[in-house]
Amino acid sequence: NTRTFLTHIMLRTPTLNHLLQTVRFVSHRTPFLETSIHNSSNMKFLSTASFVSLLSATTAFTTQLKPSFLRTPSHTYSTSTLRMSDETYDYDLVVIGGGSGGVRASRIASGYGAKVILLEPQLKHGAPNYSAIGGTCVNVGCVPKKLMVFAGRYPGDIAEAKGYGWEGASPGQFNWKTFMEYKNAEITRLNNVYSNFVLKNAGVEVMEGFGSLNGAHAVDVKKSDGTETTLSAKNVVVAVGGWPFKPDIPGIEHTITSNEIFYLEEQPKRIVCVGGGFIACEFASIMDGLGSEVTLMYRGELFLRGFDMDMRTHLKEEMERNTKIDIQFNTDPQEIVKNDDGTLTVVTRDGNKVECDAVMYATGRKGKIENLGLESAGVETKNSFIPVDDYSQTNVDNIYAVGDITDRIALTPVALMEGHRLADNLFGGQDRKVDHEYVASTVFTNPEIGTVGYTEEDAA
């Protein structure tokens, strides 16, 4: 456990300087610790506040007493003496987008001494952008989704308790509103960690506003307070991420996506999940675990295309055997009808009808390139994405892109790797291409799927 290990070190070091030196030394020789520390702050400029943030065990879901030695320090370490800015521009690096890739690129770049500003339209989660500081994963992705996964598994875990000698255990009644309150508190906490610890302590300036290119070296910003400004930049990183795609069919405006489901005021008693990728499968499992009646519709013959066939088949069998999910393959909605009582009717291309309270579409994602001003700098796009080379460089020399907007591998650890290596190349004097080989991935269904490397079909 990273937190326990760091606390062990803290209790055995006499001063703050000794403590930071010890953690830096050990982290470079301990892979799990190095990963954890780099997710909190650049080791070169690890500050007291960021170290306290890493050690703190208080969350909205697990409350523990904070030891007295974790009090907030009266000072932090500064990187200002190492600035090597090109005074021709306002900033060495302007990062548009505060997701995983953008945050990592900006933090590492600042650690090398670059003058960096990160632009994010929304610093707190929720509508209308949903994905605020921290990106999709933190706000409407991995983090809240895994919390829902945990919640949905309690009934199954409790049902097994009797076999281990626990008598009288029952799951009780799930309260959607209570869960959402705790979930929102946790995501708010993480928003604050990103803004006030991860980025601030790394020396990155954060501006709440929407950034768009105005030529290759200028970024126009529409700030959240209604004012506008223009920043000059030696280098620009576009890291705006993706957005759920929904097909153009009648009644599609009545449906939700993996954005809105985290903010529904009431739990749908009946929900139709449309899609065959990991998001559709995950939410079908989640909502089934929470007690909703779930219908999973997929136009193909078997979901999770691209995963090993035996895994796909096994998951199908497990869903049929151990859940109440109504799996409908070779099924494609043709129309969504909103009824007078507020319920919905899904009409399929076969003419079948399914009554429900909510329809969630998980049929892919597109890049958020709208209104970015890419054409003003001559940045090439493909469909809704930005093509880049192995160094995350676009066709314009000083403009780069990382994360989901590049349509490479849309996973948080991949975006982190891309952003980190980009900063290493631009400001660390290194030559590091991105590496998309043997990337591990997981699917939060029940049971979960984890995979890395070739599929059996590819290996053959």
Side-chain angles (χ1 to χ4, degrees), residues 140-206:
V140 286
C142 320
V143 174
K145 181 170 60 181
K146 199 57 185 288
L147 295 176
M148 294 184 79
V149 168
F150 291 151
R153 287 182 179 168
Y154 274 105
D157 293 341
I158 293 172
E160 295 179 351
K162 186 176 181 179
Y164 292 92
W166 291 96
E167 297 180 354
S170 64
Q173 184 176 357
F174 179 71
N175 189 312
W176 179 271
K177 290 185 178 180
T178 299
F179 172 84
M180 285 296 170
E181 289 175 1
Y182 280 101
K183 185 272 296 183
N184 289 337
E186 175 64 3
I187 305 308
T188 297
R189 185 187 73 86
L190 293 175
N191 290 154
N192 292 333
V193 166
Y194 271 88
S195 296
N196 299 322
F197 289 95
V198 175
L199 292 170
K200 182 179 179 180
N201 287 351
V204 177
E205 183 179 346
V206 178

Side-chain angles (χ1 to χ4, degrees), residues 28-75:
H28 290 298
R29 289 155 178 79
T30 311
F32 82 89
L33 180 58
E34 183 176 18
T35 300
S36 298
I37 292 293
H38 273 298
N39 283 335
S40 175
S41 179
N42 188 344
M43 278 306 302
K44 184 183 294 186
F45 304 114
L46 177 64
S47 71
T48 310
S50 62
F51 190 72
V52 169
S53 173
L54 182 66
L55 283 175
S56 175
T58 302
T59 72
F61 285 81
T62 305
T63 304
Q64 300 180 15
L65 294 177
K66 183 178 291 187
S68 59
F69 59 75
L70 292 182
R71 61 187 180 274
T72 303
S74 59
H75 65 281

Side-chain angles (χ1 to χ4, degrees), residues 304-362:
L304 295 182
R305 180 169 55 89
F307 286 82
D308 286 87
M309 180 58 71
D310 59 346
M311 289 185 175
R312 300 166 66 193
T313 303
H314 179 66
L315 180 61
K316 170 182 173 291
E317 294 171 350
E318 287 292 308
M319 281 187 169
E320 291 174 338
R321 182 184 303 117
N322 298 320
T323 77
K324 298 179 181 179
I325 300 172
D326 179 10
I327 305 174
Q328 299 184 8
F329 294 121
N330 299 306
T331 302
D332 198 12
Q334 178 175 277
E335 181 182 6
I336 312 296
V337 179
K338 187 169 185 178
N339 304 313
D340 294 339
D341 62 357
T343 61
L344 302 173
T345 300
V346 179
V347 182
T348 71
R349 296 190 182 279
D350 295 332
N352 296 322
K353 297 181 179 180
V354 177
E355 305 291 330
C356 61
D357 302 298
V359 179
M360 176 183 164
Y361 261 80

